[in-house]
């Protein structure tokens, strides 16, 4: 009841109707689905009896696309057909996309309705087949004879849930099975099993514990870095509204994104990085109230701890004190145990970043993300990531185990073998070029010094053309004396170069390769040279020469020292890869299953590689750059090939795989090699979008091509069918672009995939086979332009040079749009259009052109009544002749939680609602369920100037709700989640 107005019988009747209607409203999408299935039985190749008993496993609303995704399965005699999960995407009351995995004529294909084995007997047979130790098996709980929980005995670390299900073997046979999961005592496998309920045979098994399983040997000619510099590239500054609290002072000294590893840059101090939308109470919260519950490396999204003894127990956590100061010193020149605290902090940071960043692209609570407390936003909680640093149960690897929503995943990060007993190192000590340069020592001259040799760098000058190649005597001998000398590789011998430098007084020599690629070992007959010499690659050496010739004083160190094991907790690419397994497993087939990426052609390893690549793009990167996976962990330079058959690059001379490569069982492994081929396509797609729409360093809510492809691929994972192949994945991306961008990138996407062999006529065959793929490079008949023309048509669609269009400031009270124009000519005006879904736009304002011809003009427009949640904006550029074109679309997420407060929350009977910042408006209130579906309004208008009222919620059913406030013109301005208990 609202105390602000008289209590009426009509109001009570309304609440009663609301409670009666709530369940009906929740069933609307299921009704739409049932109607769709009934009308399309022929197209779906099912009988009416096949769809008599459909059960929705999960339902989630996707904020970026506005689609509601339903994941469902068929039931036979009360048991689910477990490996036939289909999904439908609904919008505006219609099924927009459908992924059909329905079984046909299912009732005639089952073997039995009654099990011959109990759950305990099935577990005994499974343990025997898996060669697991067995012991007494006890029933812990029994929900029904067909759904029980067994004690782990000596078989599993966790209790073993068992349920009867049907499992489709092939098009002829469906068998009754026990579905159960076993987490091995060694933690190397987390088996999800289907055990025949008649014979006890394991019919199907999926390992929820996915590991890097690196295909390449860890042997390498490359050296590894074991030093840490004090400063480096810091993460791009974010807008204040993104952080959980504008006054957050928690700080972490880490390899901050986009820095991939110690080889790629230095640590930096990030302060208050928690995102306001994804982690509204910060990274150290679990109760949803103000203030952290923990001062160590645990919180709502992850608990990061050491597991040096490999027992998955309660290891040590790094404590930051009451100020949450995790500025932990780091010296990599020691065994990893010596810097364990810094390692744990980096692991904690990176897990939280993966949580927060991908939340903005649809990996939220309703989609099955990893959170201990879901804050009433849907999904199942109690499943933050258990992340183990320096895990002692393995070596040269990493893994991630993903149970269905509500079960805690486990990430294990291992140490890596030291590349060699002794490693020759070159370190640049200052400037923006600071860091380790991978140096190959000469086969002649003095050995690398046992103690550090630190000198300034000087470039050799012999006064002739190509005057840095040291092929003749120097003309700057005075400057070379007592320095480390930089020399370009040239036409004369290596020995003569180094001898000339030594004669001029050099203490050491660095030869810079003059061709692309790795440095080589410099050979030659040693005439008695007494100084050390090394070669570095052209990519690493030329910037040093340029900087020194430009007047910079740069210090470098040469020394020979013992090396130690490498710590995977500092390789952000590997952490992102492992966390990515959790994302793809929870999104494909919905949050209630983790078995929809178990087929032979599945692309999980590809998405995981892509997660690491996209987050570590740095400004200035090029599509043709060599991007290797795991280069730090295996002791390679940043230009190394990494752990895949080839590095990632859009250059076909570097990466030439196509769809047919997946058939090559000798060169392409399963699943990692297959994933590598898929990621090669995703990487091409990423750069096609960046080439078209630009790169935006704001990885949360930016509007560049990188942000667009992040949104696209995440939505596609929700749309694709369970156990997809490459063609399924391609089609899901095309459908996602239709949902997100009205299909504007149809030409671009088709060109990218066709170029790698997933063209129109490509066939994936059975997704359960990795050797029956047929590639094709053709395009749909409607596409007659190559990729370059697609990109050009999208990126140059405006009649003027619109150099930037962005959101300058945003709050629920106002949102400022800005854009800059070069060479403005014949422009009449700019019409600002806004949308809630990115598809249907309406004009909200107009800005007139300043004059007929001008350069470098800036414009602004203020939306004084922005929409909460997601808002999309574009410019309709109106020309003098009445023709027009559109700008790119940009978007902004607004969190309206600060405009209204409710107390107490949770509440049993009443809420005190206090309004902040919208007192000058009349506000009509309504209640929404947690999926955003409208429950009929209370027909109450809060008058202007009234800041507080009470609301009676006694008759609401227990659950989570949203208090929604609209201005009298229908514009939503207030939204607050509350819980009725």
């Amino acid at each position: 009841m609202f105390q602000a107005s008289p209590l009426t019988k009509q109001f009570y009747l309304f609440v009663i109707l609301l409670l009666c209607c709530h369940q009906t409203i929740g069933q609307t999408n299921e009704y739409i689905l049932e109607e769709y299935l009934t009308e399309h039985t022929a197209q779906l190749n099912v009988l009416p009896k096949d769809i008599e008993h459909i059960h929705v496993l999960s339902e989630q609303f996707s904020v970026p696309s506005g689609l509601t995704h339903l994941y469902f399965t068929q039931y036979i005699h009360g048991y689910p057909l477990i490996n036939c999960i289909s999904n439908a995407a609904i919008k505006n009351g219609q099924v927009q996309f459908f992924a059909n995995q329905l079984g046909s004529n299912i009732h005639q294909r089952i073997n039995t309705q009654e099990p011959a084995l109990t759950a305990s007997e099935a577990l005994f047979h499974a343990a025997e087949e898996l060669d697991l130790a067995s012991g007494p098996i006890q029933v812990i709980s029994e929900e029904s004879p067909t759904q029980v929980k067994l004690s782990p005995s000596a078989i599993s670390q966790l209790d073993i849930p068992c349920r009867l299900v049907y499992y489709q073997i092939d098009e002829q046979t469906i068998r009754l099975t026990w579905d159960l999961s076993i987490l091995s005592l060694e933690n190397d496998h987390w088996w999800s099993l289907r055990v025949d309920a008649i014979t006890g045979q394991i019919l199907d098994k999926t390992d929820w514990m996915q590991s890097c399983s690196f295909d390449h040997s860890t042997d390498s000619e490359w050296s590894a870095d074991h030093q840490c510099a004090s400063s480096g590239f810091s993460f791009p500054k974010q807008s204040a509204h993104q952080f959980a609290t504008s006054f957050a002072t928690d700080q972490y000294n880490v390899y901050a994104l986009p820095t991939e590893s110690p080889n790629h840059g230095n640590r930096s101090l990030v302060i208050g990085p928690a995102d306001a939308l994804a982690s509204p109470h910060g990274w150290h919260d679990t109760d949803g109230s103000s203030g952290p519950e923990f001062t160590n490396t645990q919180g709502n999204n992850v608990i990061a701890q050491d597991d040096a003894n490999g027992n998955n127990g309660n290891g040590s956590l790094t404590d930051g004190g009451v100020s949450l100061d995790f500025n932990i010193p780091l010296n990599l020149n020691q065994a990893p145990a010596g810097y364990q605290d810094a390692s744990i902090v980096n692991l904690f940071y990176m897990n939280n970043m993966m949580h927060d960043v991908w939340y903005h692209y649809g990996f939220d609570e309703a989609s099955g993300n990893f959170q201990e407390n879901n804050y009433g936003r849907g999904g199942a909680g109690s499943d933050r990531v258990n992340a183990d640093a320096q895990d002692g149960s393995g070596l040269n690897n990493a893994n991630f185990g993903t149970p269905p929503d509500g079960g805690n995943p486990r990430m294990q990060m291992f140490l890596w073998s030291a590349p060699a007993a002794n490693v020759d190192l070159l370190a640049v000590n200052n400037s923006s070029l600071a860091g380790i340069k991978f140096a190959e020592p000469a086969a002649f001259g003095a050995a690398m010094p046992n103690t550090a040799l630190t000198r300034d760098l000087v470039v050799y000058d012999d006064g002739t053309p190509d005057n840095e190649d040291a092929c003749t005597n120097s003309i700057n001998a005075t400057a070379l004396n007592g320095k480390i000398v930089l020399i370009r590789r040239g036409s004369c011998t290596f020995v003569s170069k180094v001898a000339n430098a030594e004669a001029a007084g050099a203490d050491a020599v660095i030869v810079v390769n003059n061709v692309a690629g790795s440095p080589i070992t410099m050979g030659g007959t040693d005439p008695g040279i007494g100084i050390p010499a090394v070669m570095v690659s052209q990519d690493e050496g030329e910037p040093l020469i340029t900087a020194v010739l430009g007047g910079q004083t740069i210090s470098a160190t040469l020394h020979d020292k013992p090396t130690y094991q490498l710590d995977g907790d500092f390789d952000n690419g590997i952490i992102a890869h492992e966390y990515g397994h959790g994302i793809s497993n929870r999104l494909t087939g919905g949050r209630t299953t983790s078995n929809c990426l178990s087929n032979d052609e599945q692309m999980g390893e590809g998405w995981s590689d892509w997660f690491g690549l996209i987050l570590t793009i740095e400004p200035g990167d090029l599509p043709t750059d060599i991007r290797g996976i795991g280069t730090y962990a295996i002791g390679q330079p940043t230009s190394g090939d990494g752990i895949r058959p080839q590095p990632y690059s859009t250059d076909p001379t570097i990466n030439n795989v196509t769809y047919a490569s997946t058939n090559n069982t000798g060169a392409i492994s399963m699943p990692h090699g297959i994933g590598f081929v898929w990621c090669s396509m995703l990487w091409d797609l990423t750069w096609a979008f960046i080439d078209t729409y630009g790169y935006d360093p704001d990885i949360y809510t930016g509007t560049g091509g990188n942000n667009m492809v992040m949104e696209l691929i995440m939505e596609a994972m929700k749309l694709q069918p369970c156990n997809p192949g490459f063609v399924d994945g391609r089609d899901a991306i095309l459908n996602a672009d239709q949902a997100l961008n009205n299909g504007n990138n149809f030409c671009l996407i088709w060109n990218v995939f066709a170029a790698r062999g997933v063209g129109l006529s490509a066939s994936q065959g059975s997704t359960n086979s990795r050797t029956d793929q047929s590639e094709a490079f053709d395009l749909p008949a409607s596409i007659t332009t190559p990729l370059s023309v697609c990109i050009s048509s999208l990126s140059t669609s405006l009649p003027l040079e619109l150099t930037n269009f962005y959101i300058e400031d945003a709050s629920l009270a106002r949102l400022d749009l800005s854009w800059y124009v070069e060479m403005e000519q014949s422009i009449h005006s700019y019409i600002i259009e806004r949308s809630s879904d990115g598809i249907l736009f309406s004009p909200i304002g107009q800005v007139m052109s300043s004059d007929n011809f001008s350069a470098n003009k800036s414009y602004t427009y203020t939306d004084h009544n922005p929409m909460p949640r997601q808002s999309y904006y574009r410019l309709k550029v109106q020309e003098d002749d009445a023709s027009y074109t559109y700008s790119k679309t940009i978007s902004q997420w607004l969190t309206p939680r600060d405009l209204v407060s409710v107390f107490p929350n949770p509440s049993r009977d009443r809420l005190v609602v206090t309004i902040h910042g919208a007192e000058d408006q009349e506000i009509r209130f309504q209640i929404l369920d947690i999926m955003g579906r409208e429950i009929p309004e209370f027909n109450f208008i809060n008058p202007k100037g009234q800041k507080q009222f009470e609301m009676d919620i006694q008759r609401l059913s227990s659950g989570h709700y949203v208090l929604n406030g609209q201005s009298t013109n229908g514009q939503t301005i207030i939204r607050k989640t509350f819980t009725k208990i």
Side-chain angles (χ1 to χ4, degrees), residues 679-790:
C679 185
S680 298
M681 300 175 187
L682 297 185
W683 197 231
D684 288 354
L685 185 70
T686 297
W687 280 102
F689 267 80
I690 293 174
D691 287 345
T692 305
Y693 299 104
Y695 170 77
D696 193 328
D698 178 0
I699 55 175
Y700 294 92
T701 58
T703 58
N706 54 314
N707 308 101
M708 293 178 67
V709 82
M710 290 163 76
E711 193 173 63
L712 192 71
I713 290 174
M714 292 288 283
E715 192 70 33
M717 279 191 267
K718 297 179 181 181
L719 287 168
Q720 70 192 3
C722 184
N723 294 319
F726 280 38
V727 173
D728 293 326
R730 176 204 66 193
D731 291 348
I733 289 173
L734 286 163
N735 288 339
D737 185 62
Q738 184 66 45
L740 292 164
N741 307 307
N742 205 27
N744 291 338
N745 302 290
F746 179 82
C747 169
L748 184 154
I749 295 168
W750 266 112
N751 269 276
V752 166
F753 279 101
R756 293 276 186 179
V758 194
L760 180 65
S761 303
S763 172
Q764 66 190 17
S766 169
T767 64
N768 290 315
S769 170
R770 61 150 302 172
T771 56
D772 63 351
Q773 290 73 250
S774 298
E775 69 180 12
F777 301 89
D778 56 335
L779 294 166
S782 60
I783 299 177
T784 59
T785 55
L787 179 60
S788 59
V789 177
C790 293

Side-chain angles (χ1 to χ4, degrees), residues 9 13 148 150 225 352 354 370 381 464 527 563 680 749 752 800 844 937 955 970:
K9 294 180 180 179
L13 177 61
V148 301
L150 304 178
D225 167 26
N352 276 296
M354 288 294 292
F370 310 125
T464 63
T563 59
S680 298
I749 295 168
V752 166
L800 73 166
I844 60 170
E937 296 179 6
R955 298 195 180 188

